[in-house]
């Protein structure tokens, strides 16, 4: 897919443009009773186009690399992290690395995993709770339940699912 998105909204916000199966499609949208944009009853249709492309091919790089060994070892060097947030005092940072949310005291090497309810689920957008830097709020993704918020208590190592939130974004 490269570095470009595989979808975009039209300027009039009445359709989504997607790339699929080697073609570009328009997916018409409508608004539901909640005010959300959803697919309309009109079927998606391709946008005809012609592209003149030029590609240069290079020799495929081959390395002797055991990915299973790397992925299953007890420790790994993290070369990139994302979603960095610092508490109000600037003493602790919360971030994601290798798909796991961590907390680290600034200036120290040791890190702590943020407690979660589902170890195999992907989590994102961690942040400290204002005025309670021992609490971390982050979101858990599910393909069937979509986003669920969890509040993790760093003091006692327990996570709680937040329920009763209104429908919406």
């Amino acid at each position: 897919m490269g570095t470009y998105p595989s979808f975009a909204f039209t300027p009039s916000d009445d359709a989504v443009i997607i790339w699929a199966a080697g073609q570009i499609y328009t997916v018409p949208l409508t608004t539901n009773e909640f005010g959300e944009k959803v697919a309309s009853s009109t079927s998606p249709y391709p946008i005809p186009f012609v592209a003149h492309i030029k590609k240069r091919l290079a020799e495929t790089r081959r390395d002797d690399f055991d990915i299973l060994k790397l992925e299953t070892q007890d420790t790994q060097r993290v070369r990139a992290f994302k979603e960095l947030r610092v508490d109000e005092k600037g003493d602790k940072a919360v971030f994601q690395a290798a798909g796991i949310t961590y907390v680290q005291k600034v200036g120290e090497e040791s890190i702590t995993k943020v407690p979660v309810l589902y170890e195999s689920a992907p989590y994102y957008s961690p942040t400290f709770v204002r005025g309670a830097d021992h609490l971390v709020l982050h979101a858990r993704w599910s393909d069937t339940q979509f986003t669920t918020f969890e509040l993790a208590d760093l003091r006692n190592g327990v996570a709680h699912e937040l329920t009763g939130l209104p429908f919406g974004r």
Side-chain angles (χ1 to χ4, degrees):
M1 297 272 300
T3 58
Y4 54 90
S6 57
F7 69 93
F9 290 90
T10 59
S12 59
D13 203 27
D14 62 349
V16 176
I17 309 300
I18 64 169
W19 173 78
Q23 294 189 57
I24 298 174
Y25 289 88
T26 297
V27 180
L29 298 176
T30 188
T31 305
N32 69 11
E33 65 270 14
F34 300 111
E36 297 179 324
K37 294 288 186 175
V38 295
S40 78
S41 58
T42 307
S43 295
Y45 54 91
I47 300 172
F49 70 95
V50 175
H52 299 281
I53 60 170
K54 186 177 185 180
K55 288 187 175 185
R56 287 190 242 166
L57 301 178
E59 186 75 29
T60 301
R61 183 176 171 174
R62 308 240 184 245
D63 287 326
D64 239 358
F65 196 70
D66 186 354
I67 190 72
L68 181 62
K69 180 180 176 187
L70 177 69
E71 291 291 326
T72 57
Q73 63 190 10
D74 289 337
T75 60
Q76 291 183 21
R77 179 185 167 103
V78 173
R79 301 192 187 276
F81 61 88
K82 62 181 187 172
E83 300 177 337
L84 175 69
R85 304 283 187 280
V86 179
D87 69 351
E88 292 174 283
K89 298 174 192 168
D91 296 334
K92 290 188 279 191
V94 63
F95 58 92
Q96 289 206 0
I100 300 169
T101 304
Y102 294 99
V103 170
Q104 182 174 21
K105 289 186 180 179
V106 175
E108 294 184 12
E109 283 193 32
S110 64
I111 59 174
T112 306
K113 272 186 178 180
V114 172
V116 296
L117 293 177
Y118 300 94
E119 288 286 333
S120 63
Y123 286 81
Y124 60 98
S125 297
T127 188
F128 289 102
V129 174
R130 195 170 188 86
D133 65 357
H134 65 285
L135 297 175
V136 171
L137 177 68
H138 56 168
R140 179 182 75 235
W141 177 255
S142 162
D143 289 341
T144 55
Q145 300 297 314
F146 305 113
T147 296
T148 303
F149 291 104
E150 284 186 19
L151 188 62
D153 189 331
L154 301 174
R155 287 183 186 157
N156 62 20
V158 176
H160 303 278
E161 185 174 305
L162 301 180
T163 59
L165 296 174
F167 184 72
R169 300 186 204 319

